[in-house]
PDB file of all heavy atoms in Angstrom:
ATOM      1  N   LEU W   2      12.545   3.212 -38.805  1.00 80.00           N
ATOM      2  CA  LEU W   2      12.573   2.109 -37.852  1.00 80.00           C
ATOM      3  C   LEU W   2      13.008   2.567 -36.465  1.00 80.00           C
ATOM      4  O   LEU W   2      12.523   2.052 -35.457  1.00 80.00           O
ATOM      5  CB  LEU W   2      13.509   1.000 -38.354  1.00 80.00           C
ATOM      6  CG  LEU W   2      12.777  -0.109 -39.086  1.00 80.00           C
ATOM      7  CD1 LEU W   2      13.708  -0.846 -40.009  1.00 80.00           C
ATOM      8  CD2 LEU W   2      12.141  -1.033 -38.109  1.00 80.00           C
ATOM      9  N   SER W   3      13.897   3.538 -36.415  1.00 87.00           N
ATOM     10  CA  SER W   3      14.350   4.054 -35.125  1.00 87.00           C
ATOM     11  C   SER W   3      13.202   4.728 -34.390  1.00 87.00           C
ATOM     12  O   SER W   3      13.070   4.590 -33.174  1.00 87.00           O
ATOM     13  CB  SER W   3      15.497   5.040 -35.315  1.00 87.00           C
ATOM     14  OG  SER W   3      16.616   4.394 -35.857  1.00 87.00           O
ATOM     15  N   LEU W   4      12.400   5.471 -35.100  1.00 90.00           N
ATOM     16  CA  LEU W   4      11.252   6.138 -34.494  1.00 90.00           C
ATOM     17  C   LEU W   4      10.264   5.108 -33.956  1.00 90.00           C
ATOM     18  O   LEU W   4       9.752   5.255 -32.834  1.00 90.00           O
ATOM     19  CB  LEU W   4      10.572   7.052 -35.518  1.00 90.00           C
ATOM     20  CG  LEU W   4       9.373   7.846 -35.011  1.00 90.00           C
ATOM     21  CD1 LEU W   4       9.803   8.803 -33.915  1.00 90.00           C
ATOM     22  CD2 LEU W   4       8.723   8.583 -36.157  1.00 90.00           C
ATOM     23  N   LEU W   5      10.001   4.073 -34.721  1.00 90.00           N
ATOM     24  CA  LEU W   5       9.108   3.002 -34.268  1.00 90.00           C
ATOM     25  C   LEU W   5       9.673   2.311 -33.031  1.00 90.00           C
ATOM     26  O   LEU W   5       8.949   2.037 -32.067  1.00 90.00           O
ATOM     27  CB  LEU W   5       8.891   1.993 -35.393  1.00 90.00           C
ATOM     28  CG  LEU W   5       7.962   0.816 -35.080  1.00 90.00           C
ATOM     29  CD1 LEU W   5       6.562   1.331 -34.770  1.00 90.00           C
ATOM     30  CD2 LEU W   5       7.955  -0.157 -36.223  1.00 90.00           C
ATOM     31  N   PHE W   6      10.982   2.063 -33.041  1.00 90.00           N
ATOM     32  CA  PHE W   6      11.627   1.431 -31.892  1.00 90.00           C
ATOM     33  C   PHE W   6      11.495   2.300 -30.651  1.00 90.00           C
ATOM     34  O   PHE W   6      11.169   1.810 -29.571  1.00 90.00           O
ATOM     35  CB  PHE W   6      13.110   1.171 -32.188  1.00 90.00           C
ATOM     36  CG  PHE W   6      13.859   0.664 -31.002  1.00 90.00           C
ATOM     37  CD1 PHE W   6      13.754  -0.659 -30.611  1.00 90.00           C
ATOM     38  CD2 PHE W   6      14.653   1.518 -30.261  1.00 90.00           C
ATOM     39  CE1 PHE W   6      14.436  -1.124 -29.505  1.00 90.00           C
ATOM     40  CE2 PHE W   6      15.335   1.066 -29.154  1.00 90.00           C
ATOM     41  CZ  PHE W   6      15.230  -0.263 -28.780  1.00 90.00           C
ATOM     42  N   ILE W   7      11.728   3.593 -30.783  1.00 90.00           N
ATOM     43  CA  ILE W   7      11.647   4.512 -29.638  1.00 90.00           C
ATOM     44  C   ILE W   7      10.225   4.559 -29.090  1.00 90.00           C
ATOM     45  O   ILE W   7      10.013   4.506 -27.875  1.00 90.00           O
ATOM     46  CB  ILE W   7      12.136   5.912 -30.046  1.00 90.00           C
ATOM     47  CG1 ILE W   7      13.646   5.877 -30.289  1.00 90.00           C
ATOM     48  CG2 ILE W   7      11.799   6.944 -28.987  1.00 90.00           C
ATOM     49  CD1 ILE W   7      14.204   7.140 -30.909  1.00 90.00           C
ATOM     50  N   ILE W   8       9.239   4.614 -29.964  1.00 91.00           N
ATOM     51  CA  ILE W   8       7.839   4.658 -29.517  1.00 91.00           C
ATOM     52  C   ILE W   8       7.473   3.375 -28.780  1.00 91.00           C
ATOM     53  O   ILE W   8       6.892   3.409 -27.684  1.00 91.00           O
ATOM     54  CB  ILE W   8       6.904   4.903 -30.717  1.00 91.00           C
ATOM     55  CG1 ILE W   8       7.109   6.313 -31.256  1.00 91.00           C
ATOM     56  CG2 ILE W   8       5.446   4.686 -30.319  1.00 91.00           C
ATOM     57  CD1 ILE W   8       6.400   6.582 -32.565  1.00 91.00           C
ATOM     58  N   LEU W   9       7.806   2.238 -29.345  1.00 90.00           N
ATOM     59  CA  LEU W   9       7.477   0.966 -28.702  1.00 90.00           C
ATOM     60  C   LEU W   9       8.279   0.765 -27.409  1.00 90.00           C
ATOM     61  O   LEU W   9       7.780   0.206 -26.437  1.00 90.00           O
ATOM     62  CB  LEU W   9       7.707  -0.187 -29.669  1.00 90.00           C
ATOM     63  CG  LEU W   9       6.740  -0.244 -30.853  1.00 90.00           C
ATOM     64  CD1 LEU W   9       7.135  -1.368 -31.799  1.00 90.00           C
ATOM     65  CD2 LEU W   9       5.323  -0.399 -30.379  1.00 90.00           C
ATOM     66  N   PHE W  10       9.535   1.241 -27.389  1.00 90.00           N
ATOM     67  CA  PHE W  10      10.356   1.134 -26.192  1.00 90.00           C
ATOM     68  C   PHE W  10       9.703   1.880 -25.033  1.00 90.00           C
ATOM     69  O   PHE W  10       9.591   1.357 -23.926  1.00 90.00           O
ATOM     70  CB  PHE W  10      11.754   1.692 -26.462  1.00 90.00           C
ATOM     71  CG  PHE W  10      12.632   1.733 -25.247  1.00 90.00           C
ATOM     72  CD1 PHE W  10      13.233   0.586 -24.769  1.00 90.00           C
ATOM     73  CD2 PHE W  10      12.837   2.922 -24.579  1.00 90.00           C
ATOM     74  CE1 PHE W  10      14.034   0.618 -23.652  1.00 90.00           C
ATOM     75  CE2 PHE W  10      13.634   2.973 -23.462  1.00 90.00           C
ATOM     76  CZ  PHE W  10      14.241   1.811 -22.994  1.00 90.00           C
ATOM     77  N   PHE W  11       9.274   3.119 -25.295  1.00 89.00           N
ATOM     78  CA  PHE W  11       8.635   3.883 -24.223  1.00 89.00           C
ATOM     79  C   PHE W  11       7.280   3.305 -23.831  1.00 89.00           C
ATOM     80  O   PHE W  11       6.876   3.392 -22.665  1.00 89.00           O
ATOM     81  CB  PHE W  11       8.513   5.360 -24.609  1.00 89.00           C
ATOM     82  CG  PHE W  11       9.802   6.109 -24.467  1.00 89.00           C
ATOM     83  CD1 PHE W  11      10.419   6.660 -25.569  1.00 89.00           C
ATOM     84  CD2 PHE W  11      10.407   6.242 -23.233  1.00 89.00           C
ATOM     85  CE1 PHE W  11      11.617   7.343 -25.446  1.00 89.00           C
ATOM     86  CE2 PHE W  11      11.596   6.923 -23.088  1.00 89.00           C
ATOM     87  CZ  PHE W  11      12.215   7.476 -24.195  1.00 89.00           C
ATOM     88  N   ALA W  12       6.571   2.691 -24.759  1.00 90.00           N
ATOM     89  CA  ALA W  12       5.290   2.057 -24.424  1.00 90.00           C
ATOM     90  C   ALA W  12       5.516   0.883 -23.480  1.00 90.00           C
ATOM     91  O   ALA W  12       4.832   0.751 -22.451  1.00 90.00           O
ATOM     92  CB  ALA W  12       4.586   1.595 -25.690  1.00 90.00           C
ATOM     93  N   VAL W  13       6.485   0.034 -23.798  1.00 90.00           N
ATOM     94  CA  VAL W  13       6.776  -1.123 -22.944  1.00 90.00           C
ATOM     95  C   VAL W  13       7.351  -0.668 -21.607  1.00 90.00           C
ATOM     96  O   VAL W  13       6.955  -1.150 -20.543  1.00 90.00           O
ATOM     97  CB  VAL W  13       7.740  -2.099 -23.663  1.00 90.00           C
ATOM     98  CG1 VAL W  13       8.240  -3.169 -22.721  1.00 90.00           C
ATOM     99  CG2 VAL W  13       7.053  -2.721 -24.855  1.00 90.00           C
ATOM    100  N   PHE W  14       8.283   0.274 -21.645  1.00 91.00           N
ATOM    101  CA  PHE W  14       8.896   0.781 -20.419  1.00 91.00           C
ATOM    102  C   PHE W  14       7.851   1.437 -19.518  1.00 91.00           C
ATOM    103  O   PHE W  14       7.862   1.260 -18.306  1.00 91.00           O
ATOM    104  CB  PHE W  14      10.007   1.780 -20.763  1.00 91.00           C
ATOM    105  CG  PHE W  14      10.738   2.296 -19.568  1.00 91.00           C
ATOM    106  CD1 PHE W  14      11.577   1.479 -18.837  1.00 91.00           C
ATOM    107  CD2 PHE W  14      10.569   3.617 -19.167  1.00 91.00           C
ATOM    108  CE1 PHE W  14      12.253   1.963 -17.736  1.00 91.00           C
ATOM    109  CE2 PHE W  14      11.235   4.113 -18.068  1.00 91.00           C
ATOM    110  CZ  PHE W  14      12.085   3.278 -17.349  1.00 91.00           C
TER     111      PHE W  14
END
Side-chain angles (χ1 to χ4, degrees):
L2 264 157
S3 296
L4 182 63
L5 181 62
F6 174 78
I7 290 171
I8 292 171
L9 292 176
F10 175 77
F11 282 116
V13 170
F14 183 70

